[in-house]
């Protein structure tokens, strides 16, 4: 974990520098700043060797394409990414580096534009283990980053351009298509009380909803294969569920009524809570939590900003950072979730 935490803190320092430059709102500078600030995390992702549960799958897929292989089961845009890099006969580190850029740069741009505390958001990206999940489920998290980048289009009510981003994300991971419903959910203008009622319904009828969901998904050829796999035996993650409940309560208490972006990120968090309620009943539904829960890296700092007492605000930041430092150190450092340890590089 020393490698990951050191890289995270370096990236936080670079983010602080980039967000304190006067011209930082220019579009061209924002892209450059996002690349530079995320470069430490991009680098350790690019040069890793057999780090991440699906690393070998992605590695072999690229080598196969390098040797003239076809698209197989992967989505078209991920296939084309491999195809372009293979065209130059590049080493696999260039594929993993390109994927890291596609994941991290859109997220850092959103952090620098939307987060009141960008360094805290960068920490949460690692501390909430989204970065570690990317080292495993690369395609899904690249898609999640593209969806994350498109959030302001919901605020601007630009549906067609938003839909284009969703389609691009689906080109990396098919399940991204469900993100289109966020646009309509936000437009419905549900209040906090209405969302609370819907949340209670999800918890009370989770088994019924789960059975119905599995019945529908079992008709899909690709999905049905997972119903009889080890994924179907995964139970409810109570720690993650408890965390989602606490995050939702915290962000509800410090809800910013006049901020449309806050509302969008908050709605994503509520959907993430719904998914957590259904985890263990619908196979693989926890993967949707990664797409919608990514909002928390900006939503939590937004909620903290609403705390008017300076010392309480500082105390909240310290408590959240400490808790997620312990959480990531345990789930990744001890349990080795996503199989990202031991960290080793192609230079070893």
């Amino acid at each position: 974990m020393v490698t990951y935490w050191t890289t995270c803190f370096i990236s936080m320092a670079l983010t602080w520098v980039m967000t304190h430059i006067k011209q930082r709102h220019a579009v061209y500078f924002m892209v450059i700043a996002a690349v530079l600030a995320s470069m430490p995390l991009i680098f350790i992702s690019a040069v890793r060797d057999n780090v991440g549960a699906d690393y070998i799958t992605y590695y072999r897929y690229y080598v196969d394409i390098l040797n003239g292989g076809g698209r197989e089961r992967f989505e078209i845009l991920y296939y084309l990414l491999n195809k372009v890099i293979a065209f130059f006969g590049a080493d696999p580190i260039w594929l993993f580096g390109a994927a890291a850029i596609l994941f991290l740069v859109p997220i850092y741009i959103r952090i620098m534009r939307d987060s009141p505390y960008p360094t805290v958001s960068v920490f949460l990206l690692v501390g909430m283990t989204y970065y570690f999940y990317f080292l495993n489920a690369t395609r899904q998290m690249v898609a999640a980053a593209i969806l994350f980048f498109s959030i302001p289009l919901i605020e601007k009510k630009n549906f067609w351009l938003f839909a284009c981003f969703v389609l691009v994300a689906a080109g990396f991971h098919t399940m991204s298509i469900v993100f289109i419903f966020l646009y309509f959910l936000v437009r419905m203008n549900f209040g906090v009380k209405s969302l609370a009622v819907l949340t209670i319904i999800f918890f009370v009828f989770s088994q019924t909803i789960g059975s119905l969901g599995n019945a529908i998904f079992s008709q899909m050829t690709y999905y049905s294969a997972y119903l009889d796999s080890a994924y179907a035996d995964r139970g409810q993650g109570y720690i993650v569920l408890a965390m989602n409940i606490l995050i939702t309560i915290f962000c509800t208490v410090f809800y910013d009524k006049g901020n449309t972006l806050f509302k969008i990120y908050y709605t994503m968090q509520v959907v993430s809570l719904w998914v957590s309620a259904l985890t263990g009943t619908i196979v693989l539904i926890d993967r949707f939590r990664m797409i919608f829960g990514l909002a928390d890296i900006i939503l939590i700092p937004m909620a903290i900003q609403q705390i008017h007492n300076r010392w309480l605000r500082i105390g909240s930041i310290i408590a959240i950072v400490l808790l997620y430092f312990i959480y990531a150190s345990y789930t990744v450092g001890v349990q080795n979730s996503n199989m990202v340890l031991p960290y080793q590089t192609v230079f070893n």
Side-chain angles (χ1 to χ4, degrees):
M1 286 298 290
V2 174
T3 299
Y4 294 119
W5 284 128
T6 301
T7 307
C8 174
F9 295 142
I10 293 173
S11 185
M12 290 170 64
L14 290 172
T15 300
W16 186 90
V17 172
M18 293 301 166
T19 52
H20 283 76
I21 296 176
K22 291 182 179 179
Q23 289 81 14
R24 68 187 184 93
H25 293 294
V27 175
Y28 72 91
F29 176 79
M30 188 63 67
V31 175
I32 295 173
V35 172
L36 293 177
S38 62
M39 187 54 67
L41 292 173
I42 291 173
F43 179 76
I44 66 169
S45 174
V47 302
R48 62 193 164 113
D49 180 37
N50 200 17
V51 174
D54 286 346
Y55 176 91
I56 292 299
T57 300
Y58 289 122
Y59 179 89
R60 288 174 177 169
Y61 182 66
Y62 176 71
V63 171
D64 187 48
I65 290 178
L66 199 59
N67 293 320
R71 174 183 162 187
E72 298 180 13
R73 66 182 180 87
F74 289 119
E75 289 83 354
I76 184 64
L77 291 185
Y78 183 74
Y79 164 70
L80 291 177
L81 174 65
N82 281 259
K83 196 72 174 175
V84 169
I85 296 174
F87 176 80
F88 296 99
D91 189 271
I93 65 171
W94 292 98
L95 170 67
F96 293 115
I101 290 172
L102 289 174
F103 171 64
L104 290 167
V105 172
I107 289 176
Y108 271 68
I109 291 175
R110 282 274 61 79
I111 285 173
M112 291 179 177
R113 285 199 178 277
D114 296 347
S115 177
Y117 305 109
T119 54
V120 175
S121 292
V122 171
F123 172 82
L124 290 175
L125 179 64
V126 178
M128 298 184 82
T129 71
Y130 292 115
Y131 178 72
F132 300 110
Y133 193 76
F134 159 74
L135 296 179
N136 175 17
T138 300
R139 288 164 33 249
Q140 180 185 341
M141 295 311 288
V142 167
I146 295 170
L147 297 172
F148 195 64
F149 183 77
S150 71
I151 287 173
L153 296 174
I154 300 176
E155 180 188 24
K156 297 174 182 177
K157 301 180 181 180
N158 192 336
F159 173 76
W160 294 113
L161 186 55
F162 173 73
C164 288
F165 272 91
V166 173
L167 288 176
V168 171
F172 284 94
H173 203 279
T174 307
M175 68 165 51
S176 302
I177 204 72
V178 302
F179 201 76
I180 200 76
F181 294 107
L182 178 67
Y183 185 92
F184 301 104
L185 187 60
V186 172
R187 295 272 77 81
M188 289 178 184
N189 284 321
F190 284 118
V192 173
K193 292 181 179 179
S194 300
L195 290 174
V197 171
L198 289 173
T199 301
I200 293 172
I201 291 173
F202 266 87
F203 275 88
V204 173
F205 298 100
S206 61
Q207 293 297 325
T208 303
I209 296 173
S211 299
L212 179 62
N214 284 324
I216 294 172
F217 293 140
S218 65
Q219 304 304 312
M220 303 177 185
T221 304
Y222 176 81
Y223 187 88
S224 61
Y226 290 100
L227 295 178
D228 297 320
S229 68
Y231 293 101
D233 297 327
R234 293 182 177 179
Q236 173 64 267
Y238 291 106
I239 293 177
V240 173
L241 176 61
M243 288 168 52
N244 266 284
I245 293 173
L246 291 174
I247 291 171
T248 305
I249 292 173
F250 178 77
C251 295
T252 300
V253 172
F254 299 104
Y255 191 93
D256 186 358
K257 295 181 180 179
N259 189 335
T260 305
L261 271 178
F262 189 103
K263 176 184 177 181
I264 296 170
Y265 286 122
Y266 179 83
T267 303
M268 289 177 66
Q269 165 53 30
V270 171
V271 174
S272 177
L273 178 59
W274 295 348
V275 170
S276 295
L278 297 175
T279 298
T281 60
I282 298 180
V283 180
L284 292 182
I285 196 170
D286 189 55
R287 293 196 173 192
F288 290 105
R289 182 178 62 81
M290 295 298 173
I291 294 177
F292 290 97
L294 191 59
D296 293 339
I297 67 173
I298 291 179
L299 177 64
I300 291 174
M302 279 183 163
I304 292 173
Q305 189 184 35
Q306 297 306 303
I307 302 175
H308 300 298
N309 184 286
R310 180 172 179 269
W311 292 110
L312 182 58
R313 188 166 60 248
I314 293 174
S316 297
I317 292 174
I318 293 173
I320 289 170
V321 168
L322 181 61
L323 287 172
Y324 276 110
F325 180 84
I326 295 171
Y327 170 73
S329 296
Y330 176 73
T331 57
V332 178
V334 177
Q335 294 186 319
N336 197 14
S337 64
N338 296 302
M339 297 178 65
V340 297
L341 293 174
Y343 178 79
Q344 51 195 7
T345 75
V346 295
F347 306 122
N348 293 145

